[in-house]
Amino acid sequence: MEGFIEIVFFLGFLYWFWPDIFLEGASRANKMVDIVTSRMCDALNRFSPSHKQYNGSLSTINDLKRFSADQRYRRILNRESEVKARENQLYDIKENVPPVTNVKNRPLMGLTCYSCAPVSRDSLINQASKNLGLKNILNEYPAIRKKGVFTRTFAHFTQCYEATSYNYAHIGSTILEDERVQIAVENMTAQQVQDSDRWEETYCEQLLEKNQRRAKMLLKNMQSSMSDLLLKFTSWVLYKLLPCFLSSVVVHAGQVKMIKEAGQTGLPLIFLPLHRSHLDYIMISFILLNNNIRCPLIAAGDNLRMPIFGSLLRGLGAFYIKRRVDPVLGQRDYVYKAILHSYMNAGLKAGHNVEFFLEGGRTRTGKPLMPKYGIFSVVLDAFMDGTIEDALLVPVSINYEKLVDGNFIREQLGQPKQMETFGSAMKSIWHVLNSNYGMARIDLNQPISLRELVKTFHNGKLQNHVVFPKNLRANPSNSSLYGTDVVSDEHKHLVEKISKHVLYDGARSTSVMSTNAVAFLLLHKFRQGVSVDRLATALDELRDDLDNKQKDLGFSGSSSDVILYALDLLGSSLIKKETKDGKCIIKPVIRLPNVIELNYYSNTLINYYCLEAVIATALNCMDTQLGEITEEELVEASLDICNLLQYEFIFCKPCQDLEGAIVDCIEHLTIYKDIFIASNVDTIEAQKGRKLAEQFFDENDDNYSSPPKQLKISDKESAKEYILTTSSLLVPVIESYSVTAFCMDKLIGQQLPERGLIMETMDEMKEQLNTGSIYYEESVSSDSVKNALKLFQTWEILECQAESKERLYNLKQAHDNHDSIKALSHRIDKYRCGPLPLE
Ligand SMILES: O=P(O)(O)OC[C@H](O)CO
């Protein structure tokens, strides 16, 4: 039945999209041309702030209908030059044609970390890849350059048809015979027999059979049915559909070249994208297929296993894993874990590439989530036990000018997630197809050898496939468990370091879109409103700063055009335009819930500035009356803030020492931002003096202590402004933590369920916002409340117990009193700064 519905659906879809296949007739064909041409015009118009240029071409497009076939082919011949022009429009928001360098000379983002994977960093890359520019894959694909009337007329079809065919081995039949699965079934049965205390032979056999049937069913639900044909067909459909709502899909050709070469090494590629949208996995497979790279098996949450779409995704490579496991029973579900483990092992052995989201779910805040370790530990195990010789990890960063899916606002306000259904999926697809989401940018980072990373994090002591003992340990997390968060003790350190490194790399190589930059400036610099000119100057400064940081931007052209373009995309619900004294003033809408969405866009940039913000917050909250502090004090306060925000940001690479990273950042603020007066920071003489003193005194000499390094804070207005604005980046999240700490009072002498506690905290936050006790509307965020609860558990103040499907919180005995809660509040409140002064 399901198959029949799918066929009907497919035919209906085909009819909707290409009715000419079913009904011949000039009127239908004309209508089709109308649709396509109007969509083309729409896309072009949306992209250009001025509509004149493309309105002019509308008549040309109408003429197109009267063209003879030959004329159409000639038009296609010109497509290459159109592509070039469009590429320029892509990157130059202004309507005039920019120099080609705007598109070509872009930094190649996402290069591997030199300190922990130097060999990977030097491989697969050369000057030629660096010099390759960006391309819009919707317009730039090999088939477009081919000769031949048919090829050019059906360029998308040719492109998909001619893409390299892979034999995607079906994994399944052998899994149930796998020793791991059989042992798990036996163990599970033994456990159940023990729990029930019934030892009759027939009962045991019944249980064993039941568990075997369950294993079969779990495998059936999990299995992918990846099909080369379906992948190609979907790719063709995407060529038709993506331009309806995206103006372009931009990738760096150098990065694609690296991945292509990596694919030829014969090692499995493990794609690890940052998760922003359901579109992410579709985009990645689309790019890979059209560049002749093997598409991966994708770990998808079982929430996506819905009628029709579920089967479609299976065919495109999805294998389904449990989103949540029961906190108590789930950890003892050996059969599920064994099936997942064996399935992935078999996939890797069969030569599949694999893709999964380290964050588990999509970010609701725009900041990357902390990694979930379950799936990655399976890949690491496969390497450790010799199933695979090595694997190449490919961090992927994806950014959209406009958020494509998800109703994250209600979730940020504490409401539960609305589960995906066939109806809701259809509704959102329809909505998406009829909206404008601007540009999507995908950065495929340089592949990193897993073997090299393991070796580095094991201090270079990796022997040839030493098989590490595996004592499985449950490590429950409070958000999605993503199948299983069971990590072997011995690997835990490795899994954590590597996962965090990958997420750090992904976040740092995310290209900044126009909407991110404008939202960031409006929320953190000009909350009270600003003129376009002043905003354009600030955007120029931000662009310079990002250039210095070697970050790529998803836009170019004059800043005032970029601003107008971004305002258009963000819409009037997020940004208001007002006229004051004959001047146009742009104001962010900072009321709830709108500000949550604006904050989402702004948060992409917080990753780049979080360490600077920590130092600025420390400076803002310390006693710097005399304009001087010691570096030691500043580092200590900064480390304390990093500790407070450990679940919000990954501040530095896991192969780096946090203290060192803070010291480097202080140096950066001295040299490039003039926050500290250089001569007083550490003159060459002072450094020489310190070295001499160190040589003179024995290191172990108790009498010796190196003189504290003094930092003199610049008294320039720009330095003060920098400290204020940069520290404001962290205020919303610190305010959230502060209110959560305040609400710990509610737990004195009692236990509360997680949902109830979060809702009460959110209500308290809204109340404090109304009374002016907290300043920032975006502080109202359920994600921050959850992270604060996690932190209080790490600080051993709070305890969480899982009971059937609920998580219950209570204070630890030593902290079950008002004084402890007051002390906790004080520990957080000392880093709370006031609101930004009015501009
Ligand atoms: O963001 P979530 O939690 O809805 O999860 C999205 C995942 O793609 C499900 O596989």
Side-chain angles (χ1 to χ4, degrees), residues 275 278 281 300-301 303-304 323 360-362 364 417 420 482:
H275 202 1
H278 284 310
Y281 22 79
N303 51 322
L304 298 180
R323 279 311 302 280
R362 294 161 295 168
R364 267 59 172 167
K417 177 188 160 169
E420 294 84 355
Y482 227 60

